[in-house]
Amino acid sequence: MGAMAGTSSGVIRSLIPARLDRLAWTPFHTRLVVALGVAWVLDGLEITIASSVTGVLSQPDTLDLSATAVGAIATVYLVGEVVGALVFGRLSDRLGRRNLFTVTLLVYLAGSGLTAFTLGHGTGWIIYLFATRFIAGMGIGGEYAAINSAIDEMIPARYRGQVDIGVNGTYWAGAILGTLGTLALLHAVSPEIGWRLAFLLGPVLAVVVVYVRRNLPESPRWLLMHGRAAEAERAMAAIEVRQGSPGTLEPVDDSRAIEVRPERVGYRALLRVLFVDHWRRSVLGATLMITQSFLYNAIFFTYALVLTHFYGVRATDAPIYLIGFAAGNLLGPLTIGRLFDSVGRKQMIAGTYILSGVLLAITAVLFDQGVLTAATQTAAWCVIFFFASAGASSAYLSVSEIFPLEVRAQAIAVFFAIAQCFGAIGPVLYGHLIGTGADPSRLFAGYLVGGAVMVVGGVVEILLGVRAERLPLEAIARPLSAVPSTAVPRAAGATTTFSPRRRS
């Protein structure tokens, strides 16, 4: 049984969510993850390139930018991400995941590609440069909202945690690629050409991804919740065909079906979900996102200042240390991500947040006592962020699975925007604490604050965390279109019943 629409009541009864969750892993899922997950690689690439070429862009033979203008490049990009997440997140919930992850990638491609063609340093060209960075940021921000939703909705429940965390962690693969690519280009060709080629690395990768994404299906879950039952069934059937020969899939019992009555969902429903129905989950999502964003922006955007001001590392050598820092961030999600499905969400999220906070505090003491070198400081960061990176990735996982499908992308966008706004405080505060590098005790205090912030995130997870491991999305967050008293599978062979409630 697939999906069946009622002729009079408008109710659709379907097994599609249960059929998606009972699938084994196939090359289709691998292609889906690679094609969609590249968004994080592109973001890491963009941020790293922008920070790596700042010194070059201030030179007279390039754009001759002031320090303020150079710093504003990253700010404009981050503002673009926030706007893009909010705008495209709304459109993703209304128009579909597939439509939006194509549009957002093209927006990014255009913005980043056009950046390379900034031909002068007059006022008009500076405005042009900022505009292209804003557009590129919008594309990546939109990717976060649309793609987190699509991945969660199409990956079987038993793999969802490790896949989502691993994909989010690939941001750091982009950081490594950006560092290596920028170093190579700036040393191989003249700075005037090298920085332009660096900004074209992302668009070149994006062109390949556009081709790979062209045949990906729309989320069957999204189609179902929007009343497009026939399309949902076709998309589901196409996915099942890739599992092997007909008849090899285990049958899904009809008791695991869900009944929905699709209806249009507006901003009022979003506000009700975030601030009334699921306000505790909103507190949880905001806390997890804000705390990890504060820590990451504080450390990542000032690591070079710490190395140059306190350890005497040359500015041209600082990016080399980033490779080691990024490697620790990449390995964490890829190696321990599976534990978020097996051990459990609450245990692993709380554990990674609290452990990384405690380790940062220990490192802060060693830093203040002057026993660290540039190499050992970087090694300490690698260990800290091995755990912190998995925790930060789990924040994105949490906000993408604990809210109803109809507003999922918008919820992701809201918390992403909140996190970016609070995260922007980190670099400013820690830059001030670093100062000229004459007083390490100021940064010592800052590191203790950063560690405490992460511990707060872990404690809130213990108090408000949602046990979502290996559960269908519909069992974690009731779809707004679900018919009251509908039984929805929690896992194979078990169900939970939605109680009737008044809809506003």
Side-chain angles (χ1 to χ4, degrees), residues 372-442:
L372 297 177
T373 64
T376 54
Q377 175 71 76
T378 302
W381 280 333
C382 286
V383 175
I384 293 167
F385 286 94
F386 176 90
F387 298 103
S389 181
S393 296
S394 70
Y396 286 91
L397 167 65
S398 291
V399 299
S400 66
E401 67 181 359
I402 62 177
F403 295 101
L405 180 144
E406 294 88 342
V407 295
R408 176 167 292 127
Q410 294 174 84
I412 295 170
V414 167
F415 292 110
F416 175 77
I418 292 172
Q420 291 292 68
C421 292
F422 278 89
I425 299 172
V428 176
L429 173 61
Y430 279 65
H432 174 71
L433 295 176
I434 291 168
T436 60
D439 186 5
S441 63
R442 288 161 46 120

Side-chain angles (χ1 to χ4, degrees), residues 167-227:
V167 164
N168 278 277
T170 57
Y171 172 98
W172 296 100
I176 294 173
L177 290 174
T179 301
L180 294 175
T182 303
L183 286 173
L185 289 171
L186 292 181
H187 286 83
V189 297
S190 67
E192 184 178 2
I193 301 298
W195 77 266
R196 301 179 193 278
L197 294 178
F199 273 114
L200 289 175
L201 290 175
V204 168
L205 178 59
V207 169
V208 176
V209 176
V210 169
Y211 175 79
V212 175
R213 286 184 182 178
R214 74 193 191 286
N215 291 325
L216 292 181
E218 178 57 270
S219 163
R221 277 185 163 104
W222 182 89
L223 290 168
L224 177 65
M225 299 302 169
H226 286 76

Side-chain angles (χ1 to χ4, degrees), residues 106-347:
L106 292 175
V107 170
Y108 158 76
L109 196 159
S112 191
L114 290 173
T115 297
F117 296 96
T118 306
L119 303 179
H121 48 76
T123 301
W125 282 112
I126 300 304
I127 293 174
Y128 169 87
L129 172 66
F130 288 161
T132 60
R133 299 314 300 149
F134 179 83
I135 293 171
M138 280 190 67
I140 293 297
E143 287 266 292
Y144 275 127
I147 288 173
N148 260 321
S149 302
I151 288 178
D152 279 359
E153 290 164 13
M154 288 197 278
I155 294 296
R158 60 187 177 279
Y159 303 115
R160 189 174 60 242
Q162 59 188 301
V163 167
D164 210 332
I165 288 172
V167 164
N168 278 277
T170 57
Y171 172 98
W172 296 100
I176 294 173
L177 290 174
T179 301
L180 294 175
T182 303
L183 286 173
L185 289 171
L186 292 181
H187 286 83
V189 297
S190 67
E192 184 178 2
I193 301 298
W195 77 266
R196 301 179 193 278
L197 294 178
F199 273 114
L200 289 175
L201 290 175
V204 168
L205 178 59
V207 169
V208 176
V209 176
V210 169
Y211 175 79
V212 175
R213 286 184 182 178
R214 74 193 191 286
N215 291 325
L216 292 181
E218 178 57 270
S219 163
R221 277 185 163 104
W222 182 89
L223 290 168
L224 177 65
M225 299 302 169
H226 286 76
R228 294 158 63 174
E231 293 177 65
E233 178 60 34
R234 286 196 294 271
M236 186 69 243
I239 293 172
E240 288 176 328
V241 164
R242 306 180 195 197
Q243 288 281 305
S245 58
T248 59
L249 287 173
E250 63 179 274
V252 179
D253 191 272
D254 186 64
S255 64
R256 300 179 66 194
I258 182 174
E259 291 184 347
V260 297
R261 183 182 291 110
E263 60 182 73
R264 184 164 182 149
V265 175
Y267 287 113
R268 184 181 178 187
L270 174 65
L271 294 175
R272 189 187 71 234
V273 166
L274 295 184
F275 300 111
V276 180
D277 295 350
H278 295 301
W279 68 267
R280 289 181 179 83
R281 295 184 178 193
S282 294
V283 172
L284 171 67
T287 302
L288 292 178
M289 292 291 283
I290 289 170
T291 52
Q292 63 85 22
S293 181
F294 176 84
L295 178 70
Y296 262 97
N297 287 347
I299 303 298
F300 179 60
F301 286 110
T302 61
Y303 84 95
L305 291 177
V306 173
L307 293 175
T308 56
H309 286 45
F310 292 103
Y311 298 111
V313 174
R314 292 186 302 175
T316 53
D317 293 333
I320 298 174
Y321 291 85
L322 172 62
I323 296 175
F325 178 71
N329 278 276
L330 177 62
L331 289 174
L334 295 181
T335 56
I336 66 175
R338 61 185 180 83
L339 299 179
F340 288 77
D341 285 321
S342 57
V343 174
R345 300 282 200 270
K346 291 186 68 170
Q347 297 93 322

